[in-house]
Amino acid sequence: MMLKRLKERNEIEVYSVFDDAFRLYGRVIKDLDTAEIVRVAAEIPMTDAGCVYHAAQPEFQNLAIADRIRRDCFAEMPCQIGMCYGHNHFLNSLEWHTCSEINIAATDVVVILGKRRDMDEHFQMSSTSCKAFFLPKGTAMEIYSDTLHFCPCEVEPTGYRMVVGLAEGTNTPLEQPTEDKKIRGKNKWVITHEKNTVALNNGCFCGITGPNYEIKY
C-alpha cells in the first residue's frame, strides 16, 4: 500500500487527505466525477525534468467537470483550470493566494502544506510546522486561502500530474514590477527554503528554515 510505504520511508510523517489532520488545511470534494479530466491530463506529454505549470490548460476548458468547478467551487466567479506536472521530490518553497485552490490528483501525489499563521511578522517559518498528505489519483480537494502549498511531490518515477483550479489571473505575470520579493505573480506570494539556491538566485524571498523535506518512495 502506497501510504504505508511513504510513512515508513520519510522523515516527515505522511498523512492521508482523508485523515482528520487535513481538515485544518482544506477539504476533500467527494461529489466530483474526476475520471474524464484525469484521463485527459494523462494524455498531456510529460516533461523530462523540472516542473511545468499552465494556468489554463486548453484541453480542460470544455469538459463537463470544468462547468461544475466554475459553478460549485467558485460560485460562478471567473476562474481558470490548469495543470501542474513534472518531477519534484522536495518541499523547496511555499506559496499562497487570496482564494482557495481546487486540486485534482491525476496521479498519486504527496503535498506538503503549512498555514499562514506559521509565519512570523517577518514572513519567516520553520518547515517543521508543515504536514505532508498523500492524495490518491482521482481525488479532488479544496485547499483554503490561508494554506501554504507548492508543487506536489511525485511518488513514482514517471512524475506527477495535478489539475489546478484558481481565480482567473492567478499565477500569471505581473503587469507592473514590485520591490516585494514575495510577490511572484498575480495573486501569488512565495517564500523559499534557505537551501533552494536556484530559487534564491532567481530573486525569491528566503523565508523557510529547517529540513527541506524530501519525499522518498
Side-chain angles (χ1 to χ4, degrees):
M1 181 180 177
M2 175 64 74
L3 181 57
K4 183 175 184 293
R5 186 162 79 242
L6 290 168
K7 285 179 175 290
E8 293 171 346
R9 296 187 178 183
N10 285 280
E11 174 186 4
I12 185 172
E13 184 171 359
V14 181
Y15 299 84
S16 167
V17 292
F18 298 101
D19 292 341
D20 283 344
F22 181 67
R23 295 175 61 189
L24 178 66
Y25 302 89
R27 67 182 181 98
V28 175
I29 305 173
K30 297 181 178 179
D31 59 348
L32 278 179
D33 183 353
T34 63
E36 184 181 26
I37 201 166
V38 167
R39 176 185 59 78
V40 173
E43 296 171 354
I44 297 168
M46 177 59 69
T47 182
D48 292 332
C51 300
V52 177
Y53 172 70
H54 297 294
Q57 193 73 40
E59 295 89 340
F60 298 161
Q61 306 313 309
N62 295 320
L63 301 181
I65 194 172
D67 287 335
R68 281 287 312 277
I69 291 171
R70 294 184 188 107
R71 185 191 69 201
D72 297 344
C73 299
F74 290 94
E76 297 187 357
M77 290 293 291
C79 66
Q80 61 199 25
I81 303 170
M83 182 165 155
C84 184
Y85 59 98
H87 300 273
N88 180 50
H89 302 268
F90 291 92
L91 165 65
N92 279 335
S93 299
L94 290 165
E95 70 176 355
W96 68 95
H97 317 292
T98 58
C99 62
S100 286
E101 178 171 315
I102 305 301
N103 289 150
I104 299 171
T107 61
D108 289 349
V109 299
V110 168
V111 292
I112 302 176
L113 306 177
K115 299 299 287 186
R116 289 181 63 178
R117 71 185 190 192
D118 297 333
M119 298 184 292
D120 65 19
E121 66 271 26
H122 304 294
F123 297 93
Q124 302 292 314
M125 64 175 287
S126 171
S127 62
T128 57
S129 63
C130 294
K131 284 187 169 60
F133 294 92
F134 173 62
L135 187 68
K137 179 180 177 179
T139 306
M141 68 176 179
E142 174 186 358
I143 54 175
Y144 301 141
S145 61
D146 65 338
T147 295
L148 306 174
H149 58 282
F150 206 60
C151 293
C153 294
E154 65 189 74
V155 295
E156 51 193 27
T158 50
Y160 74 86
R161 300 171 191 266
M162 181 81 93
V163 176
V164 181
L166 283 162
E168 189 173 289
T170 300
N171 290 333
T172 59
L174 295 169
E175 295 177 14
Q176 296 185 16
T178 175
E179 295 182 0
D180 188 341
K181 287 186 174 183
K182 298 184 298 299
I183 299 177
R184 305 301 293 177
K186 291 184 178 179
N187 195 22
K188 179 186 181 76
W189 290 262
V190 180
I191 59 173
T192 295
H193 196 279
E194 61 182 357
K195 294 183 179 178
N196 187 358
T197 55
V198 173
L200 294 175
N201 289 338
N202 285 330
C204 290
F205 179 86
C206 184
I208 309 173
T209 58
N212 188 19
Y213 292 114
E214 178 184 6
I215 296 301
K216 300 174 183 178
Y217 54 87

